[in-house]
Structures are given as structure tokens and as C-alpha cells.
Amino acid sequence: MRLDKFLKVSRLIKRRTLAKQVADQGRITINGNKAKASSVIKENDELQIRFGQKVVTVRVDMLKENVRKEETANMYTILKEEKLDKIEPEFIDDEA
């Protein structure tokens, strides 16, 4: 399954276009390697996603094309959440 589709289906990121933008900015890694939106993910892959001042590390537990909202939590396990003190300039959103 494509990375951007997994992020949308699992509801880690609400929209697929937003997931694509985040991946294209280099804010997502798969098993330590920078990921593109089109990167293929498998079960047990470890994703590290940077949301502003927070970095979330999750393990992919299940891949499904269509999932009910109640079942999305079964698709991944949050391994850790880190709060960053300093934001690097390239990650500041000037459009806000």
C-alpha cells in the first residue's frame, strides 16, 4: 500500500493530499529512510512522522484498503511521541 493512502485510511493524516505534501517535504521516514508519498509500506514497518513540534513513531500493524473509523486504531501502534524544543526553519508554515 502507498504511504499517502495508508496515512489517510489510518487517519494519522486526514487528507491524502496533505499526506503527500508532508512526505514530499521530507518529514516522514520509513525504517529510517526518507519516504515519498508513493513509497510502498508493509506490515511491521516503522514510520516516523514529524508534525510541527512533535515527532510520532508508529509501527504498521495492518494494511486494509477500507476501514471503519472504529477500526483505524488497529492499523498501527504508537511507539513513541517526542516533543521538539526547536523548529527547523524549513518546517515553519508561513501560510497559516
Side-chain angles (χ1 to χ4, degrees):
M1 177 182 284
R2 285 176 53 113
L3 173 63
D4 57 347
K5 183 164 186 177
F6 173 79
L7 293 172
K8 179 201 176 288
V9 171
S10 67
R11 291 179 170 83
L12 281 167
I13 296 179
K14 288 187 179 185
R15 294 182 318 245
R16 192 166 174 177
T17 54
L18 183 59
K20 182 182 180 333
Q21 289 173 353
V22 170
D24 290 345
Q25 291 172 357
R27 294 166 45 186
I28 301 176
T29 62
I30 300 174
N31 299 324
N33 301 315
K34 281 197 176 190
K36 295 181 180 179
S38 61
S39 299
V40 177
I41 60 168
K42 305 177 295 297
E43 290 183 7
N44 296 318
D45 278 350
E46 196 170 294
L47 307 178
Q48 192 171 41
I49 309 164
R50 184 174 182 151
F51 296 103
Q53 289 186 315
K54 184 169 66 168
V55 176
V56 178
T57 305
V58 299
R59 182 183 62 236
V60 177
D61 293 333
M62 176 176 65
L63 298 174
K64 280 180 115 176
E65 296 289 324
N66 298 311
V67 183
R68 293 177 45 203
K69 188 176 184 179
E70 300 81 30
E71 298 172 347
T72 58
N74 299 331
M75 293 186 72
Y76 61 89
T77 302
I78 297 177
L79 301 176
K80 76 179 156 180
E81 288 186 47
E82 300 174 89
K83 185 173 167 89
L84 302 175
D85 295 330
K86 183 180 174 188
I87 301 177
E88 295 177 26
E90 68 262 20
F91 296 121
I92 295 176
D93 187 9
D94 294 332
E95 297 175 10

PDB file of all heavy atoms in Angstrom, residues 41-69:
ATOM      1  N   ILE A  41       4.601   0.626   1.705  1.00  0.00           N
ATOM      2  CA  ILE A  41       4.839   0.190   3.079  1.00  0.00           C
ATOM      3  C   ILE A  41       4.295  -1.212   3.277  1.00  0.00           C
ATOM      4  O   ILE A  41       3.384  -1.651   2.572  1.00  0.00           O
ATOM      5  CB  ILE A  41       4.229   1.159   4.111  1.00  0.00           C
ATOM      6  CG1 ILE A  41       2.723   1.274   3.939  1.00  0.00           C
ATOM      7  CG2 ILE A  41       4.875   2.517   4.034  1.00  0.00           C
ATOM      8  CD1 ILE A  41       2.055   1.967   5.081  1.00  0.00           C
ATOM      9  N   LYS A  42       4.879  -1.913   4.250  1.00  0.00           N
ATOM     10  CA  LYS A  42       4.468  -3.269   4.579  1.00  0.00           C
ATOM     11  C   LYS A  42       4.175  -3.327   6.082  1.00  0.00           C
ATOM     12  O   LYS A  42       4.529  -2.415   6.817  1.00  0.00           O
ATOM     13  CB  LYS A  42       5.594  -4.253   4.248  1.00  0.00           C
ATOM     14  CG  LYS A  42       6.104  -4.190   2.822  1.00  0.00           C
ATOM     15  CD  LYS A  42       7.260  -5.131   2.580  1.00  0.00           C
ATOM     16  CE  LYS A  42       8.519  -4.850   3.328  1.00  0.00           C
ATOM     17  NZ  LYS A  42       9.228  -3.626   3.102  1.00  0.00           N
ATOM     18  N   GLU A  43       3.548  -4.413   6.496  1.00  0.00           N
ATOM     19  CA  GLU A  43       3.317  -4.598   7.927  1.00  0.00           C
ATOM     20  C   GLU A  43       4.657  -4.670   8.641  1.00  0.00           C
ATOM     21  O   GLU A  43       5.646  -5.144   8.092  1.00  0.00           O
ATOM     22  CB  GLU A  43       2.498  -5.862   8.169  1.00  0.00           C
ATOM     23  CG  GLU A  43       1.065  -5.719   7.698  1.00  0.00           C
ATOM     24  CD  GLU A  43       0.221  -6.937   8.002  1.00  0.00           C
ATOM     25  OE1 GLU A  43       0.701  -7.852   8.700  1.00  0.00           O
ATOM     26  OE2 GLU A  43      -0.916  -6.965   7.529  1.00  0.00           O
ATOM     27  N   ASN A  44       4.688  -4.175   9.865  1.00  0.00           N
ATOM     28  CA  ASN A  44       5.870  -4.110  10.737  1.00  0.00           C
ATOM     29  C   ASN A  44       6.869  -3.037  10.335  1.00  0.00           C
ATOM     30  O   ASN A  44       7.932  -2.948  10.944  1.00  0.00           O
ATOM     31  CB  ASN A  44       6.564  -5.474  10.873  1.00  0.00           C
ATOM     32  CG  ASN A  44       5.676  -6.480  11.552  1.00  0.00           C
ATOM     33  OD1 ASN A  44       4.994  -6.170  12.521  1.00  0.00           O
ATOM     34  ND2 ASN A  44       5.661  -7.689  11.027  1.00  0.00           N
ATOM     35  N   ASP A  45       6.568  -2.217   9.324  1.00  0.00           N
ATOM     36  CA  ASP A  45       7.415  -1.071   9.022  1.00  0.00           C
ATOM     37  C   ASP A  45       7.259  -0.041  10.136  1.00  0.00           C
ATOM     38  O   ASP A  45       6.198   0.066  10.746  1.00  0.00           O
ATOM     39  CB  ASP A  45       7.030  -0.422   7.687  1.00  0.00           C
ATOM     40  CG  ASP A  45       7.628  -1.138   6.494  1.00  0.00           C
ATOM     41  OD1 ASP A  45       8.486  -2.024   6.681  1.00  0.00           O
ATOM     42  OD2 ASP A  45       7.237  -0.801   5.365  1.00  0.00           O
ATOM     43  N   GLU A  46       8.319   0.709  10.385  1.00  0.00           N
ATOM     44  CA  GLU A  46       8.285   1.751  11.410  1.00  0.00           C
ATOM     45  C   GLU A  46       8.304   3.115  10.721  1.00  0.00           C
ATOM     46  O   GLU A  46       9.222   3.423   9.969  1.00  0.00           O
ATOM     47  CB  GLU A  46       9.500   1.592  12.331  1.00  0.00           C
ATOM     48  CG  GLU A  46       9.367   2.340  13.614  1.00  0.00           C
ATOM     49  CD  GLU A  46      10.465   1.972  14.596  1.00  0.00           C
ATOM     50  OE1 GLU A  46      10.488   0.820  15.057  1.00  0.00           O
ATOM     51  OE2 GLU A  46      11.293   2.851  14.873  1.00  0.00           O
ATOM     52  N   LEU A  47       7.269   3.906  10.962  1.00  0.00           N
ATOM     53  CA  LEU A  47       7.156   5.234  10.372  1.00  0.00           C
ATOM     54  C   LEU A  47       7.465   6.281  11.430  1.00  0.00           C
ATOM     55  O   LEU A  47       7.002   6.176  12.564  1.00  0.00           O
ATOM     56  CB  LEU A  47       5.736   5.484   9.852  1.00  0.00           C
ATOM     57  CG  LEU A  47       5.129   4.476   8.896  1.00  0.00           C
ATOM     58  CD1 LEU A  47       3.708   4.888   8.547  1.00  0.00           C
ATOM     59  CD2 LEU A  47       5.959   4.369   7.645  1.00  0.00           C
ATOM     60  N   GLN A  48       8.222   7.278  11.037  1.00  0.00           N
ATOM     61  CA  GLN A  48       8.483   8.415  11.916  1.00  0.00           C
ATOM     62  C   GLN A  48       7.945   9.649  11.197  1.00  0.00           C
ATOM     63  O   GLN A  48       8.399   9.979  10.104  1.00  0.00           O
ATOM     64  CB  GLN A  48       9.968   8.546  12.199  1.00  0.00           C
ATOM     65  CG  GLN A  48      10.275   9.496  13.315  1.00  0.00           C
ATOM     66  CD  GLN A  48      11.740   9.429  13.701  1.00  0.00           C
ATOM     67  OE1 GLN A  48      12.606   9.348  12.843  1.00  0.00           O
ATOM     68  NE2 GLN A  48      12.014   9.461  15.003  1.00  0.00           N
ATOM     69  N   ILE A  49       6.946  10.299  11.796  1.00  0.00           N
ATOM     70  CA  ILE A  49       6.244  11.409  11.168  1.00  0.00           C
ATOM     71  C   ILE A  49       6.448  12.658  12.014  1.00  0.00           C
ATOM     72  O   ILE A  49       6.233  12.633  13.227  1.00  0.00           O
ATOM     73  CB  ILE A  49       4.734  11.114  11.043  1.00  0.00           C
ATOM     74  CG1 ILE A  49       4.513   9.761  10.380  1.00  0.00           C
ATOM     75  CG2 ILE A  49       4.038  12.221  10.261  1.00  0.00           C
ATOM     76  CD1 ILE A  49       3.120   9.216  10.549  1.00  0.00           C
ATOM     77  N   ARG A  50       6.844  13.735  11.342  1.00  0.00           N
ATOM     78  CA  ARG A  50       7.069  14.994  12.048  1.00  0.00           C
ATOM     79  C   ARG A  50       5.868  15.912  11.843  1.00  0.00           C
ATOM     80  O   ARG A  50       5.557  16.312  10.731  1.00  0.00           O
ATOM     81  CB  ARG A  50       8.329  15.657  11.518  1.00  0.00           C
ATOM     82  CG  ARG A  50       8.665  16.895  12.251  1.00  0.00           C
ATOM     83  CD  ARG A  50       9.994  17.415  11.786  1.00  0.00           C
ATOM     84  NE  ARG A  50      10.300  18.602  12.551  1.00  0.00           N
ATOM     85  CZ  ARG A  50      11.502  19.002  12.821  1.00  0.00           C
ATOM     86  NH1 ARG A  50      12.528  18.317  12.380  1.00  0.00           N
ATOM     87  NH2 ARG A  50      11.705  20.089  13.506  1.00  0.00           N
ATOM     88  N   PHE A  51       5.181  16.230  12.941  1.00  0.00           N
ATOM     89  CA  PHE A  51       4.045  17.153  12.954  1.00  0.00           C
ATOM     90  C   PHE A  51       4.479  18.405  13.705  1.00  0.00           C
ATOM     91  O   PHE A  51       4.458  18.416  14.931  1.00  0.00           O
ATOM     92  CB  PHE A  51       2.845  16.567  13.700  1.00  0.00           C
ATOM     93  CG  PHE A  51       2.246  15.333  13.084  1.00  0.00           C
ATOM     94  CD1 PHE A  51       2.485  14.091  13.620  1.00  0.00           C
ATOM     95  CD2 PHE A  51       1.429  15.433  11.983  1.00  0.00           C
ATOM     96  CE1 PHE A  51       1.917  12.957  13.076  1.00  0.00           C
ATOM     97  CE2 PHE A  51       0.854  14.306  11.423  1.00  0.00           C
ATOM     98  CZ  PHE A  51       1.099  13.064  11.972  1.00  0.00           C
ATOM     99  N   GLY A  52       4.893  19.447  13.021  1.00  0.00           N
ATOM    100  CA  GLY A  52       5.279  20.685  13.699  1.00  0.00           C
ATOM    101  C   GLY A  52       6.351  20.454  14.741  1.00  0.00           C
ATOM    102  O   GLY A  52       7.476  20.123  14.425  1.00  0.00           O
ATOM    103  N   GLN A  53       6.002  20.595  16.022  1.00  0.00           N
ATOM    104  CA  GLN A  53       6.965  20.428  17.112  1.00  0.00           C
ATOM    105  C   GLN A  53       6.907  19.032  17.729  1.00  0.00           C
ATOM    106  O   GLN A  53       7.443  18.817  18.803  1.00  0.00           O
ATOM    107  CB  GLN A  53       6.712  21.462  18.204  1.00  0.00           C
ATOM    108  CG  GLN A  53       7.079  22.864  17.800  1.00  0.00           C
ATOM    109  CD  GLN A  53       6.935  23.816  18.958  1.00  0.00           C
ATOM    110  OE1 GLN A  53       5.948  23.783  19.677  1.00  0.00           O
ATOM    111  NE2 GLN A  53       7.925  24.672  19.141  1.00  0.00           N
ATOM    112  N   LYS A  54       6.276  18.085  17.049  1.00  0.00           N
ATOM    113  CA  LYS A  54       6.129  16.750  17.606  1.00  0.00           C
ATOM    114  C   LYS A  54       6.564  15.719  16.573  1.00  0.00           C
ATOM    115  O   LYS A  54       6.280  15.852  15.388  1.00  0.00           O
ATOM    116  CB  LYS A  54       4.659  16.536  17.989  1.00  0.00           C
ATOM    117  CG  LYS A  54       4.370  15.228  18.665  1.00  0.00           C
ATOM    118  CD  LYS A  54       2.969  15.176  19.246  1.00  0.00           C
ATOM    119  CE  LYS A  54       1.913  15.203  18.183  1.00  0.00           C
ATOM    120  NZ  LYS A  54       0.577  14.874  18.684  1.00  0.00           N
ATOM    121  N   VAL A  55       7.264  14.690  17.030  1.00  0.00           N
ATOM    122  CA  VAL A  55       7.647  13.566  16.176  1.00  0.00           C
ATOM    123  C   VAL A  55       6.968  12.321  16.737  1.00  0.00           C
ATOM    124  O   VAL A  55       7.135  11.991  17.911  1.00  0.00           O
ATOM    125  CB  VAL A  55       9.174  13.359  16.139  1.00  0.00           C
ATOM    126  CG1 VAL A  55       9.533  12.128  15.331  1.00  0.00           C
ATOM    127  CG2 VAL A  55       9.856  14.589  15.568  1.00  0.00           C
ATOM    128  N   VAL A  56       6.188  11.657  15.887  1.00  0.00           N
ATOM    129  CA  VAL A  56       5.460  10.460  16.289  1.00  0.00           C
ATOM    130  C   VAL A  56       6.060   9.264  15.556  1.00  0.00           C
ATOM    131  O   VAL A  56       6.230   9.297  14.339  1.00  0.00           O
ATOM    132  CB  VAL A  56       3.955  10.587  15.958  1.00  0.00           C
ATOM    133  CG1 VAL A  56       3.208   9.320  16.342  1.00  0.00           C
ATOM    134  CG2 VAL A  56       3.349  11.789  16.652  1.00  0.00           C
ATOM    135  N   THR A  57       6.380   8.214  16.312  1.00  0.00           N
ATOM    136  CA  THR A  57       6.893   6.979  15.734  1.00  0.00           C
ATOM    137  C   THR A  57       5.823   5.910  15.886  1.00  0.00           C
ATOM    138  O   THR A  57       5.344   5.666  16.999  1.00  0.00           O
ATOM    139  CB  THR A  57       8.192   6.536  16.437  1.00  0.00           C
ATOM    140  OG1 THR A  57       9.119   7.618  16.389  1.00  0.00           O
ATOM    141  CG2 THR A  57       8.792   5.313  15.775  1.00  0.00           C
ATOM    142  N   VAL A  58       5.429   5.304  14.754  1.00  0.00           N
ATOM    143  CA  VAL A  58       4.393   4.268  14.774  1.00  0.00           C
ATOM    144  C   VAL A  58       4.884   3.028  14.034  1.00  0.00           C
ATOM    145  O   VAL A  58       5.732   3.114  13.152  1.00  0.00           O
ATOM    146  CB  VAL A  58       3.057   4.751  14.146  1.00  0.00           C
ATOM    147  CG1 VAL A  58       2.483   5.915  14.901  1.00  0.00           C
ATOM    148  CG2 VAL A  58       3.214   5.080  12.687  1.00  0.00           C
ATOM    149  N   ARG A  59       4.333   1.877  14.422  1.00  0.00           N
ATOM    150  CA  ARG A  59       4.589   0.622  13.722  1.00  0.00           C
ATOM    151  C   ARG A  59       3.323   0.239  12.974  1.00  0.00           C
ATOM    152  O   ARG A  59       2.229   0.280  13.535  1.00  0.00           O
ATOM    153  CB  ARG A  59       4.966  -0.484  14.699  1.00  0.00           C
ATOM    154  CG  ARG A  59       5.296  -1.814  13.997  1.00  0.00           C
ATOM    155  CD  ARG A  59       5.613  -2.940  14.954  1.00  0.00           C
ATOM    156  NE  ARG A  59       4.452  -3.213  15.783  1.00  0.00           N
ATOM    157  CZ  ARG A  59       4.463  -3.199  17.121  1.00  0.00           C
ATOM    158  NH1 ARG A  59       5.565  -2.901  17.769  1.00  0.00           N
ATOM    159  NH2 ARG A  59       3.370  -3.474  17.798  1.00  0.00           N
ATOM    160  N   VAL A  60       3.458  -0.136  11.719  1.00  0.00           N
ATOM    161  CA  VAL A  60       2.319  -0.544  10.900  1.00  0.00           C
ATOM    162  C   VAL A  60       1.955  -1.967  11.298  1.00  0.00           C
ATOM    163  O   VAL A  60       2.766  -2.888  11.176  1.00  0.00           O
ATOM    164  CB  VAL A  60       2.668  -0.486   9.397  1.00  0.00           C
ATOM    165  CG1 VAL A  60       1.499  -0.974   8.559  1.00  0.00           C
ATOM    166  CG2 VAL A  60       3.083   0.914   8.996  1.00  0.00           C
ATOM    167  N   ASP A  61       0.723  -2.157  11.785  1.00  0.00           N
ATOM    168  CA  ASP A  61       0.277  -3.481  12.221  1.00  0.00           C
ATOM    169  C   ASP A  61      -0.606  -4.174  11.198  1.00  0.00           C
ATOM    170  O   ASP A  61      -0.642  -5.396  11.133  1.00  0.00           O
ATOM    171  CB  ASP A  61      -0.503  -3.366  13.539  1.00  0.00           C
ATOM    172  CG  ASP A  61       0.386  -2.940  14.688  1.00  0.00           C
ATOM    173  OD1 ASP A  61       1.597  -3.221  14.647  1.00  0.00           O
ATOM    174  OD2 ASP A  61      -0.128  -2.309  15.629  1.00  0.00           O
ATOM    175  N   MET A  62      -1.338  -3.384  10.402  1.00  0.00           N
ATOM    176  CA  MET A  62      -2.309  -3.985   9.484  1.00  0.00           C
ATOM    177  C   MET A  62      -2.495  -3.052   8.292  1.00  0.00           C
ATOM    178  O   MET A  62      -2.517  -1.838   8.444  1.00  0.00           O
ATOM    179  CB  MET A  62      -3.644  -4.167  10.231  1.00  0.00           C
ATOM    180  CG  MET A  62      -4.772  -4.692   9.402  1.00  0.00           C
ATOM    181  SD  MET A  62      -6.275  -4.987  10.371  1.00  0.00           S
ATOM    182  CE  MET A  62      -6.720  -3.346  10.884  1.00  0.00           C
ATOM    183  N   LEU A  63      -2.639  -3.630   7.115  1.00  0.00           N
ATOM    184  CA  LEU A  63      -2.916  -2.863   5.911  1.00  0.00           C
ATOM    185  C   LEU A  63      -4.277  -3.275   5.366  1.00  0.00           C
ATOM    186  O   LEU A  63      -4.496  -4.449   5.097  1.00  0.00           O
ATOM    187  CB  LEU A  63      -1.833  -3.116   4.846  1.00  0.00           C
ATOM    188  CG  LEU A  63      -0.420  -2.709   5.214  1.00  0.00           C
ATOM    189  CD1 LEU A  63       0.546  -3.155   4.133  1.00  0.00           C
ATOM    190  CD2 LEU A  63      -0.326  -1.209   5.419  1.00  0.00           C
ATOM    191  N   LYS A  64      -5.177  -2.325   5.244  1.00  0.00           N
ATOM    192  CA  LYS A  64      -6.505  -2.571   4.680  1.00  0.00           C
ATOM    193  C   LYS A  64      -6.871  -1.386   3.805  1.00  0.00           C
ATOM    194  O   LYS A  64      -6.543  -0.250   4.126  1.00  0.00           O
ATOM    195  CB  LYS A  64      -7.556  -2.709   5.783  1.00  0.00           C
ATOM    196  CG  LYS A  64      -7.608  -4.063   6.453  1.00  0.00           C
ATOM    197  CD  LYS A  64      -8.683  -4.070   7.508  1.00  0.00           C
ATOM    198  CE  LYS A  64      -9.775  -5.040   7.133  1.00  0.00           C
ATOM    199  NZ  LYS A  64     -10.792  -5.140   8.180  1.00  0.00           N
ATOM    200  N   GLU A  65      -7.576  -1.659   2.712  1.00  0.00           N
ATOM    201  CA  GLU A  65      -7.983  -0.597   1.795  1.00  0.00           C
ATOM    202  C   GLU A  65      -9.106   0.258   2.377  1.00  0.00           C
ATOM    203  O   GLU A  65      -9.114   1.467   2.230  1.00  0.00           O
ATOM    204  CB  GLU A  65      -8.443  -1.201   0.465  1.00  0.00           C
ATOM    205  CG  GLU A  65      -7.341  -1.936  -0.286  1.00  0.00           C
ATOM    206  CD  GLU A  65      -6.300  -0.997  -0.861  1.00  0.00           C
ATOM    207  OE1 GLU A  65      -6.658   0.102  -1.298  1.00  0.00           O
ATOM    208  OE2 GLU A  65      -5.125  -1.389  -0.878  1.00  0.00           O
ATOM    209  N   ASN A  66     -10.080  -0.390   3.002  1.00  0.00           N
ATOM    210  CA  ASN A  66     -11.224   0.322   3.579  1.00  0.00           C
ATOM    211  C   ASN A  66     -11.386  -0.109   5.024  1.00  0.00           C
ATOM    212  O   ASN A  66     -11.450  -1.300   5.316  1.00  0.00           O
ATOM    213  CB  ASN A  66     -12.513   0.000   2.812  1.00  0.00           C
ATOM    214  CG  ASN A  66     -12.431   0.442   1.370  1.00  0.00           C
ATOM    215  OD1 ASN A  66     -12.052   1.574   1.102  1.00  0.00           O
ATOM    216  ND2 ASN A  66     -12.765  -0.445   0.453  1.00  0.00           N
ATOM    217  N   VAL A  67     -11.464   0.869   5.906  1.00  0.00           N
ATOM    218  CA  VAL A  67     -11.557   0.587   7.334  1.00  0.00           C
ATOM    219  C   VAL A  67     -12.596   1.502   7.954  1.00  0.00           C
ATOM    220  O   VAL A  67     -12.679   2.681   7.616  1.00  0.00           O
ATOM    221  CB  VAL A  67     -10.193   0.828   8.033  1.00  0.00           C
ATOM    222  CG1 VAL A  67     -10.268   0.459   9.496  1.00  0.00           C
ATOM    223  CG2 VAL A  67      -9.100   0.057   7.353  1.00  0.00           C
ATOM    224  N   ARG A  68     -13.387   0.943   8.875  1.00  0.00           N
ATOM    225  CA  ARG A  68     -14.327   1.772   9.621  1.00  0.00           C
ATOM    226  C   ARG A  68     -13.547   2.593  10.644  1.00  0.00           C
ATOM    227  O   ARG A  68     -12.486   2.199  11.095  1.00  0.00           O
ATOM    228  CB  ARG A  68     -15.356   0.891  10.320  1.00  0.00           C
ATOM    229  CG  ARG A  68     -16.262   0.196   9.317  1.00  0.00           C
ATOM    230  CD  ARG A  68     -17.247  -0.743   9.937  1.00  0.00           C
ATOM    231  NE  ARG A  68     -17.893  -0.164  11.103  1.00  0.00           N
ATOM    232  CZ  ARG A  68     -18.451  -0.885  12.069  1.00  0.00           C
ATOM    233  NH1 ARG A  68     -18.430  -2.196  12.010  1.00  0.00           N
ATOM    234  NH2 ARG A  68     -19.020  -0.300  13.088  1.00  0.00           N
ATOM    235  N   LYS A  69     -14.105   3.732  10.988  1.00  0.00           N
ATOM    236  CA  LYS A  69     -13.427   4.659  11.893  1.00  0.00           C
ATOM    237  C   LYS A  69     -13.007   3.982  13.200  1.00  0.00           C
ATOM    238  O   LYS A  69     -11.927   4.241  13.727  1.00  0.00           O
ATOM    239  CB  LYS A  69     -14.353   5.846  12.175  1.00  0.00           C
ATOM    240  CG  LYS A  69     -13.719   6.958  12.945  1.00  0.00           C
ATOM    241  CD  LYS A  69     -14.657   8.124  13.087  1.00  0.00           C
ATOM    242  CE  LYS A  69     -13.997   9.289  13.783  1.00  0.00           C
ATOM    243  NZ  LYS A  69     -14.884  10.437  13.904  1.00  0.00           N
TER     244      LYS A  69
END
